[in-house]
Amino acid sequence: MKIEAARPLMGRRLLVAVTGSIAAVKTPLLVSALIKAGAEVRCLVTPSAARLVSPVALASLSRHRCYQDEDQWNSSEPRPLHVALAEWAELVIVAPLSATSLARWSHGLAEGLLASLLLACERPVLAAAAMNTAMWSNPAVRRNWQELQTDRRVLPLAPESGLLACDRIGDGRMVDPKLIELAVVSGLLQADETGRLQRDWQGRRLLVTAGSTVEVLDPARLLINRSSGRMGVLLAQAARLRGAQVDLVHGPLKLPVAWLEGLAAYPVTSADEMQNMLAQLQSKADAVAMAAAVADVRRVNPAQTEKLSKDCLLQSFSQGWEQVPDLLAELVLRRPVGQVLLGFAALTGNEAQIQQLGEEKRLRKGCDLLMANPIDRPGQGFEEDFNGGWLLAADGSIRSLPVTSKLALAHQLLDAILEVQVVISAPS
Ligand code: CTP
């Protein structure tokens, strides 16, 4: 289980194409990460990319020769290379995608190995754009980028803001290779047999909470729990990659910061801060997923300035505590018409006990769906890459969700939310 978790791309065939943007210097890191995740990787560089990143480095990291334009009509290749590679790959990654390659692709031009391969390709293509801020905001580039979004086989990753090689701070930085790796795994899950990607969350807004909340005991000590925030953040990214607008309210997280790229993220610390942020964001959302592990109790009057001695700390455990308000139950009371609410419950016990405790909790909180998952089985739950359990619905149904990666589970939960949304918004 551990080995599979570390190798989510085992045996998958990926083609990494590099085009002429300075972000190309980061692509070797991506290739190395994909190989470590178990993928079979082939690389291709355009002529300008070959001046920025060494084809030799890409060949060593991918354990295979790196293709260039002059290989396209090589007499030793039995079939046209652009067609053979397009058919070989399960998913193509263009990272970085430069303004020139974007323009060629969106206009259907076939000059060069990559341009002709992209036209011949019937599999999903993940496109991570990178360029100077002024180029990215140029109307011609915006039009080409918009054009690309109409293709259901393309998973577009718009650049992030940051310090660029041209010394400007602005939009144009290629997303982090760690996020590209996550999007690759998601793209393979989202693609149907014709290579088209799910876009069923387009036009919808999801509000997600993730991580733990933190309560102060004194200036030196905190009350926190084991949540890494993985389930909530993967749910947020999976929804975004399916076209949703996502607001992520999160406590401290134990995962790569790159996984937050592209999300509207609102960091909070205490349950009070989370409650206030949710109150501001709830009305805009079509669905809310409460994956955060909210602290159950807090000190009524935490010591703000003076550190408690060991004796005072021990004494403080027996008095002066209160329950944290139930944020999910409050969201249910305030929900706008048609909003779907998903809760989570980390539970221990056998299947029947978990289902019973989960159903009691779902009824108490009033949410439409509750994901009840065991945390007393090795390899799943808190701080793990895998999770599974039972999805309890307001219509009394119980769906078994066998242990799988948290990203795959996120997609299953997004499917379930949409199913409920269809039912509650159907005319009665
Ligand atoms: N939750 C919440 N506010 C709280 C506690 C929990 O919104 N103060 C949400 C969690 O985000 C989760 C669901 O409620 O979606 C269930 O969390 P859990 O900790 O299992 O529920 P509790 O109400 O704390 O139940 P228990 O008394 O068993 O600890």
Side-chain angles (χ1 to χ4, degrees), residues 120-315:
C121 183
E122 293 180 308
R123 298 303 308 158
V125 185
L126 191 153
M131 62 196 75
N132 156 274
T133 308
M135 290 168 80
W136 176 246
S137 48
N138 183 285
V141 174
R142 311 300 315 154
R143 276 196 300 276
N144 292 341
W145 185 249
Q146 282 310 318
E147 193 56 43
L148 218 59
Q149 328 273 317
T150 61
D151 185 341
R152 282 274 314 274
R153 291 203 183 95
V154 177
L155 195 56
L157 291 177
E160 287 283 296
S161 187
L163 174 62
L164 306 178
C166 51
D167 268 342
R168 255 180 101 149
I169 295 177
D171 288 344
R173 177 177 70 76
M174 184 175 81
V175 293
D176 192 285
K178 286 198 174 66
L179 183 73
I180 299 178
E181 188 187 345
L182 191 157
V184 167
V185 182
S186 183
L188 289 167
L189 289 165
Q190 279 171 256
D192 66 16
E193 56 293 344
T194 68
R196 288 186 179 76
L197 297 154
Q198 278 167 307
R199 290 263 177 83
D200 45 3
W201 274 78
Q202 195 126 37
R204 296 174 206 268
R205 199 170 189 115
L206 177 69
L207 172 58
V208 188
T209 64
S212 51
T213 61
V214 183
E215 301 300 335
V216 171
L217 298 183
D218 72 15
R221 301 179 183 98
L222 303 171
L223 185 66
I224 190 166
N225 60 60
R226 285 182 57 197
S227 170
S228 63
R230 201 164 284 250
M231 190 67 241
V233 170
L234 291 175
L235 200 53
Q237 282 293 2
R240 178 176 83 95
L241 295 169
R242 280 164 71 161
Q245 279 186 283
V246 181
D247 294 311
L248 173 73
V249 181
H250 66 88
L253 302 170
K254 287 180 261 174
L255 37 79
V257 251
W259 283 10
L260 297 188
E261 286 184 5
L263 298 169
Y266 304 88
V268 295
T269 311
S270 64
D272 267 352
E273 284 176 28
M274 185 169 277
Q275 187 179 29
N276 291 337
M277 196 50 80
L278 290 174
Q280 289 176 44
L281 296 169
Q282 182 182 12
S283 62
K284 294 187 282 181
D286 296 290
V288 185
M290 273 298 293
V294 184
D296 296 305
V297 291
R298 62 187 172 201
R299 297 280 299 147
V300 179
N301 292 309
Q304 296 293 353
T305 50
E306 194 187 338
K307 185 182 166 193
L308 300 177
S309 67
K310 274 197 284 290
D311 289 342
C312 290
L313 186 66
L314 267 180
Q315 274 168 21

Side-chain angles (χ1 to χ4, degrees), residues 290-292 294-296 324-328 343-346 361 364-365:
M290 273 298 293
V294 184
D296 296 305
V324 167
D326 191 321
L327 310 189
L328 178 54
F344 286 79
K361 206 166 271 203
R364 179 154 42 88
K365 293 173 186 264

